[in-house]
Amino acid sequence: MLPVPRLALGRIIMVEGKATIVVLTYNRREQALSTLECLSQLPGGWPIIVVDNGSSDGTANAIRARYPAVMLIRMRRNLGAAARNIGVAYAHTPYVAFCDDDTQWEPGALERAVTLLDQAPTVAALSANVQVGPDRRPDPTCQLMAESPLPSAGLPGPRLMGFMAGACVMRTRAFSDVGGYWPPFFIGGEETLMALDLTEQGWDIVYAAQVVTRHFPSVIRDTISRQRLLLRNAIWVAWLRRPVVSACRISLRQLGRARLNGALFKVLGASLVGMPRVLRRRRVISPATEHLCRLMERAETLSALKLFAPAECEGGRDAASMQR
């Protein structure tokens, strides 16, 4: 594999190309093309895999015509977040750097991520520093991550219990060990389950402020549907992994938010329909992991109160702002 140059201490040194960029896209042709233009110009020539999630607007054909060097995987239908599992299956590098079609890795970001992961063998995922829009506004979630109260001694950044699915660099083996994303979630908060399972297996998740990605939020999104999925998925995650008391508390909180949004019966109905499948996969986390969850939730609640705004979902916003 070709070496990838990176800048360090004012000089060029070489690191082996160890990361594949996996891009997920759905019906955002122009934005996907813009993202690929940026990614293809990154120093080092990182391999790129695009998973087109069943687009009907000509996205796949446009990518194939303009970027023949990109590996394009065309799904017959929209699988949501689980389509990333397909992209990872085709990656032959120890690390994968995830993008959505509205996020772009900054030059030097992947080199820094590779170095951090090489030096921290217990770290499964680095959640990136997300800068929003042309004016590079810091994503509020990153501030929460930077102020994480979890013990982080020996780690290359603050320890987390979540990450942004569309703005992270992960160890390929760790992703596979936990089975990737659970398809029934479709989209919205799906990384929360993966974060719990990674932690249970002894992996660490950290916030890497020096690994920067840009986010140019698309205007093409179904906000109402997304909010309902976030609420439903938060309830499902609670019953998949959390103790009964926590699962009840989280469920009531999410249903309260659904009621405020005028979607109580839709969210409740969707949650109940999938509950038999959820309970069949229920595997309660250890007290140590539950303690970390409670620490993080307490810190997020305090931050939310300071901002006079509720968090979007249990366990933080995670990748809600990063996904379509």
Side-chain angles (χ1 to χ4, degrees), residues 149-225:
L150 304 185
S152 303
L155 296 176
R159 186 178 185 181
L160 304 173
M161 288 300 295
F163 56 91
M164 291 185 172
C168 67
V169 184
M170 294 192 66
R171 208 173 289 272
T172 308
R173 179 167 67 90
F175 184 95
S176 300
D177 282 351
V178 296
Y181 290 111
W182 194 43
F185 285 136
F186 189 66
I187 202 82
E190 68 280 348
E191 59 282 279
T192 306
L193 178 63
M194 183 178 288
L196 291 173
D197 288 347
L198 287 170
T199 302
E200 279 289 278
Q201 291 194 12
W203 292 105
D204 296 312
I205 303 167
V206 303
Y207 172 59
Q210 62 271 59
V211 177
V212 179
T213 191
R214 305 286 304 281
H215 181 207
F216 300 93
S218 174
V219 297
I220 306 174
R221 61 178 65 237
D222 186 348
T223 304
I224 295 175
S225 176

Side-chain angles (χ1 to χ4, degrees), residues 35-109:
T35 292
L36 289 174
E37 178 67 21
C38 173
L39 297 177
S40 64
Q41 292 180 11
L42 289 175
W46 303 89
I48 301 173
I49 297 174
V50 176
V51 183
D52 179 72
N53 229 345
S55 295
S56 58
D57 66 346
T59 295
N61 289 337
I63 291 173
R64 177 173 292 169
R66 191 174 300 185
Y67 299 101
V70 167
M71 176 181 286
L72 175 65
I73 302 172
R74 303 181 66 167
M75 309 304 297
R76 293 185 178 180
R77 59 186 178 89
N78 189 352
L79 299 182
R84 293 192 183 99
N85 301 348
I86 310 301
V88 174
Y90 280 88
H92 299 290
T93 53
Y95 310 130
V96 285
F98 291 101
C99 271
D100 285 342
D101 47 25
D102 57 359
T103 58
Q104 303 171 0
W105 292 105
E106 282 276 90

